[in-house]
Amino acid sequence: MNASTPLFWRDPRLPQVELRCIGDARQVAYARHSHAQWSLGAVTRGRSTFYYRDDTHAICAGDLVMMNPGWVHACNPIEQEPWAYLMLYVDTDWVSELRYRSGLSKSPEWQDIPTAALSTPVLYRRYRRMAALLLDERANLARKRGALTETLLAVFSHVQSGSERSSMKVPAPLERLAAYLDHHALERLTLERLCRISGYSSGHLIRAFKHHYGMTPRAYLINRRVQLGREWLNQGHSIAETALALGFNDQPHFQRTFKRLLAATPHQYRTHSTGKSALVQHDEQAAHGQQ
């Protein structure tokens, strides 16, 4: 397999998580996007630039990065330098309950974490051990689940989960509109309709929505459709029926948009690899990328 081809690990016994591995990400290019899940990544080789909401961070091998649900981000390589990473996507409701039951959050609802990146060797090593265990077909489910929860709680304890910055408080009409887009993403929505829902004029709506969410309402809607497409593919639906259900013009349009936002084709996302060999292959590809 080409070193730049992403590997996706999933296990139906642990539906709360998904792990992405890529050994040579020099050709990877993300458009700005967001996820419904909370994400925790580890840079395993090289350097990259991490755009997160309103800030840009220089990250390198040994760093961890965190992305809140719905926060716009993009992470891309620097001038063809070797770069490799692991990325864990975690169901928001599940991880919110985990934090709450552990006393690390005052509410069972999701609480945003202001920290974007960590350079903490002990947490990085713990993350790598957890990833290796998830990918190990010989490890039993209890060990996998234990490593997952212990790693996440160690990270949350370290950053002392904080509340969303008051300066980023989203006005109620925009929050309602974002929720409407989430729940009506498969409908044909006009700008006029969104203006009626929010009470904003078209120009004001586009500017205000982009200020608070990092993208225009249309870009937010497309991003939401791609995230739904990811769920459909994970459930076994074909690429063609997923593209049709999500309202894309045709299958190539869906494939181009999916790759632009997730840096992987729908086919690559469906053709995932499980087992310990996936992490071995990741490390071999990453090492080769530095040569």
Side-chain angles (χ1 to χ4, degrees), residues 175-187:
E175 283 191 326
R176 289 195 297 269
L177 182 61
Y180 185 87
L181 292 172
D182 288 339
H183 290 96
H184 297 267
L186 302 186
E187 300 178 16

Side-chain angles (χ1 to χ4, degrees), residues 224-246:
R224 177 59 177 154
R225 288 176 178 173
V226 168
Q227 296 303 319
L228 289 173
R230 179 177 175 173
E231 295 177 12
W232 273 55
L233 294 173
N234 197 12
Q235 294 166 5
H237 295 281
S238 71
I239 297 173
E241 67 178 324
T242 299
L244 180 63
L246 296 179

Side-chain angles (χ1 to χ4, degrees), residues 89-280:
Y89 305 97
V90 189
D91 179 79
T92 304
D93 291 338
W94 178 82
V95 77
S96 298
E97 182 66 20
L98 176 67
R99 291 170 69 193
Y100 179 65
R101 286 189 286 103
S102 303
L104 295 172
S105 175
K106 296 180 180 180
S107 170
E109 303 298 324
W110 173 257
Q111 302 294 309
D112 284 331
I113 299 171
T115 305
L118 291 173
S119 296
T120 311
V122 64
L123 291 178
Y124 175 79
R125 291 193 295 269
R126 183 189 284 265
Y127 184 104
R128 293 300 305 271
R129 290 195 298 269
M130 177 269 297
L133 192 60
L134 290 180
L135 295 165
D136 189 347
E137 293 178 338
R138 298 170 300 178
N140 63 43
L141 182 60
R143 289 185 62 204
K144 291 175 184 281
R145 183 182 288 115
L148 173 66
T149 56
E150 289 170 9
T151 299
L152 296 181
L153 291 177
V155 171
F156 292 140
S157 295
H158 183 82
V159 300
Q160 286 297 309
S161 54
S163 60
E164 186 175 9
R165 293 170 293 177
S166 58
S167 61
M168 295 302 296
K169 181 63 177 177
V170 181
L174 295 183
E175 283 191 326
R176 289 195 297 269
L177 182 61
Y180 185 87
L181 292 172
D182 288 339
H183 290 96
H184 297 267
L186 302 186
E187 300 178 16
R188 292 186 177 276
L189 301 176
T190 65
L191 180 58
E192 291 74 18
R193 184 175 177 182
L194 301 184
C195 289
R196 288 196 301 271
I197 293 170
S198 65
Y200 285 41
S201 66
S202 59
H204 185 198
L205 174 60
I206 292 173
R207 290 191 299 272
F209 197 95
K210 186 173 183 179
H211 172 73
H212 289 284
Y213 287 96
M215 58 180 78
T216 66
R218 175 171 174 75
Y220 184 97
L221 181 64
I222 295 301
N223 181 80
R224 177 59 177 154
R225 288 176 178 173
V226 168
Q227 296 303 319
L228 289 173
R230 179 177 175 173
E231 295 177 12
W232 273 55
L233 294 173
N234 197 12
Q235 294 166 5
H237 295 281
S238 71
I239 297 173
E241 67 178 324
T242 299
L244 180 63
L246 296 179
F248 285 90
N249 296 333
D250 49 36
Q251 184 172 327
H253 182 209
F254 170 60
Q255 292 173 318
R256 290 193 301 271
T257 307
F258 192 97
K259 184 174 182 180
R260 181 171 61 85
L261 295 185
L262 299 184
T265 66
H267 177 74
Q268 289 171 337
Y269 182 72
R270 295 185 68 200
T271 311
H272 61 277
S273 175
T274 59
K276 189 175 182 179
S277 60
L279 190 56
V280 173

Side-chain angles (χ1 to χ4, degrees), residues 7 21 86 128 131-132 135 275-284:
L7 303 172
C21 316
L86 300 167
R128 293 300 305 271
L135 295 165
K276 189 175 182 179
S277 60
L279 190 56
V280 173
Q281 183 177 3
H282 165 83
D283 287 338
E284 289 176 347

